[in-house]
Amino acid sequence: MSMDRTELRDSARKAFGASSATGDAAGNWAKLSEMGWFMMTVPEAQGGLGLGSEAHAIIHYELGRSLVPGPVIAQMMLVEALAATGQSDLLDRAMAGGKMTASLALPTEDDVIAAVPDADVASHVLVTRQGSIRVVPLDRCTIAAQPTWDETRRLFDVRPPSASDGVVIAHGQAAEQLRTSLLLQMLLALSADSLGGAEAALAMTVDYLKTRRQFDRPLAMFQALKHRVADLKIAHSAAEALLWDRAAGRPSLALMASLKTHCTEAFRLIAEDCIQLHGGIGLTQEHPCHLFFKRAMLNCALGGDAFHWEEVAGRAVMETTG
Amino acid sequence: MSVTLETLRDDVCTWLAGNAPKDWREAATHEAFVTGQRQWFGKLVAAGYAIPHWPAGWQGGGRSLAEQKVIYEELARADAPRLLLSFVSTYHAFATLQECGNDAQRARYLPAILEGETWCQGFSEPGAGSDLAAIKTRGERRGDVYVVNGQKLWSTMAQYADKCLLLVRTSSEGAKQAGLTYLLMDMKAPGVTVRPIHQIQGDEEFAEIFLDNVEVPLTERVGEEGAGWAVAQATLSSERGLTLMELGYRMRGSMGLLIDLIRKSGKAGDAGVLRELGRLSAQVDATCALADRFLHNRITGAEQVGDASIVKNSYSRTLRAWADLGVRVGGLLEQYRKPITFGDLNTGNWMADFMNSYAWTIAGGSEEVQRNIIAERMLEMPREPKSWVA
């Protein structure tokens, strides 16, 4: 990580603070907007910061680390779509923090768009269909809340009024390209978010083991637990190395997808053990363990799950190395 | 990447294209493999690529870690033989002599290494594996020699070695680390017997060394009597990172073997197999990225204690998973015994590769020892009380 990257990480860490059960959604949204992070990857000519996908991953890593609630991943997808298609009016609003949203599920052709964060407060939703991408005002859509176990995200099902409502921002080949680049962005964001969360969950668990005493000694002294924690640390380090490697490059969809499954599965592994290693308190809502666990489980399911993507990745390996 | 590094990469690449042996996997016996190793080492020395980590003035020495990384990346890419026979000589013996030896020892031994003299390491014993300081082989001072009696184990290629880096106990007083002394032993000396160990898959990469009243002159001691533990640390920390990066790259380069197997066994359309392949490929890439990042951190001085242990465990587990997928896809056919390939971890002889992968979770500091290092030194979890009474 270069110096600029370290600075970006440090300022994000400072802005979002420690993970907490009562995440300040409004406060964090304001900070993201103030720091210009919504416009991070937008070219400077369009009023953005012109940073690359590595910077994007750094911010999402810190968002995950602090369990920041809210629809940041969807917002950034909107910004990307509006910037790529030159929708300057909507883009300016979105970059300034005006909430717009998009589905965090794998794209489908269904009438109902699933897993749309904060659809009740956002102004527009991105509707991606084969061969056409539209921006539809949400006040014309039917929305239904889908409460999730993960309380740091608020998801909705959205039904646009008709198949042709809203503004078409891309069609044909351009729409396909944009759809892929949005998917790449979402997969990278979910990967980074997961590893940030995993880092915080692991650090919290190590601290707990050092503090909690049983049999007249800290739990951290037991080798059985040390070895488990060491394995979690290894899983996290390897996934993180892969994250920064892929974030700095221009990976294919299959490679970004295998990154996503690798990182979300690492988060899940760590968050699961975080509960087990905390013992009884880990099974309660009084301790933040459950927040990491639920976010990990949701991240595994968002953007296409491991069943789907690992097969895609495997097929790609068969083809590229044939 | 700087212009100098890219020039070096081009040079190495061009040289390897004309010089890297292609038939090294065809060695039918271990002796034939070792002969090939000697020839390959000689060629690398002459070309200036064998000892990039030695100081300037030596053939091809004085290379930065970044340059060394480029050389090893290209060796892996060209699928050149790994330098197994000369490894202990150019890394362990060199680092020990350079850091703790005297001028006479350096003058005598370092040039000889480049002429093909090979070293083995006499550290582990039947009763001293992970607990290395429990060494029992005795070194008794008589006049101007140490008389050595005992047994050493897991000594890489000792059956072909000319010299040995030997750790012996010269005192039983005080802490067990305090009574150790470091000697340079001639493997041809009377009383030295070497017996190759027949490994689980049929290779003979390691040997036992029996020492029966072997006389080692006092001039062959490295450091003071009783300072052996500190000298051994110099030996053991001589190479960290390049090997695992190279091995990671070679494993990634061998994904083709798995793909061929999947096709051959008619499983290219099996979603379950494809998923495992997809998952494994990410794991392999992650291990390579981790080794890369580790070296980068070493180059920039950002390495942390425990980092090397993370890379080693990540590599050894991934290697296990790589071979394991081959074993399972191959099924019954992989249970039929086939001749092994010497000096390679990713051969596509899947049962052999799978069994060989255990060497990486056991040798060079077992997986469990690495976990302790990660937990205790990196994550600062408290050590268990040391004393134990049966």
Side-chain angles (χ1 to χ4, degrees), chain B residues 147-175:
Chain B
V147 177
V148 180
N149 280 285
Q151 183 189 350
K152 293 292 175 180
L153 198 58
W154 302 122
S155 184
T156 304
M157 302 259 190
Q159 65 270 46
Y160 303 101
D162 303 299
K163 308 284 171 191
C164 178
L165 303 167
L166 188 69
L167 205 48
V168 299
R169 179 160 302 285
T170 44
S171 163
S172 310
E173 306 286 307

Side-chain angles (χ1 to χ4, degrees), chain B residues 195-217:
Chain B
R195 191 179 74 90
I197 297 171
H198 302 288
Q199 285 164 249
I200 186 168
Q201 86 284 28
D203 204 343
E204 293 178 1
E205 211 180 305
F206 308 101
E208 286 182 279
I209 308 173
F210 298 92
L211 303 161
D212 181 16
N213 285 316
V214 180
E215 294 188 355
V216 180

Side-chain angles (χ1 to χ4, degrees), chain A residues 210 220-221 223 226-227 229-231 233-234 237-238 240-242 246 307 310-311 314-315 317-318 321-322, chain B residues 259 263 271 274-275 277-279 281 285-286 289-290 293 310 313 368 371-372 375-376 379-380 382-384:
Chain A
K210 286 178 186 171
M221 199 178 272
Q223 196 181 42
K226 280 180 190 165
H227 282 198
V229 168
D231 283 346
K233 177 70 186 171
I234 294 163
S237 299
E240 202 194 337
L242 189 65
R246 299 239 157 119
F307 266 121
E310 282 176 352
E311 190 182 336
R315 248 177 240 292
V317 172
M318 292 296 292
T321 327
Chain B
I259 290 157
R263 286 218 181 93
L274 290 172
R275 278 182 198 128
L277 180 67
R279 183 158 58 227
S281 71
D285 287 349
L290 187 63
R293 194 165 169 232
I310 289 182
N313 277 21
E368 288 72 20
R371 286 191 185 120
N372 284 348
E376 291 172 357
L379 302 175
E380 297 175 330
R383 285 165 182 265
E384 286 176 272

Side-chain angles (χ1 to χ4, degrees), chain B residues 53 87-101 106 121 123 132 165 167 182 222-223 227-240 298:
Chain B
H53 58 293
F87 187 84
V88 173
S89 317
T90 60
Y91 280 94
H92 295 175
F94 164 74
T96 308
L97 293 169
Q98 188 71 8
E99 285 178 40
C100 308
R106 279 190 284 271
Q121 183 179 293
F123 282 17
L132 185 59
L165 303 167
L167 205 48
Y182 202 113
V222 183
W229 185 253
V231 179
Q233 300 314 307
T235 310
L236 295 173
S237 60
S238 62
E239 198 290 304
R240 287 151 75 209
R298 279 199 77 190

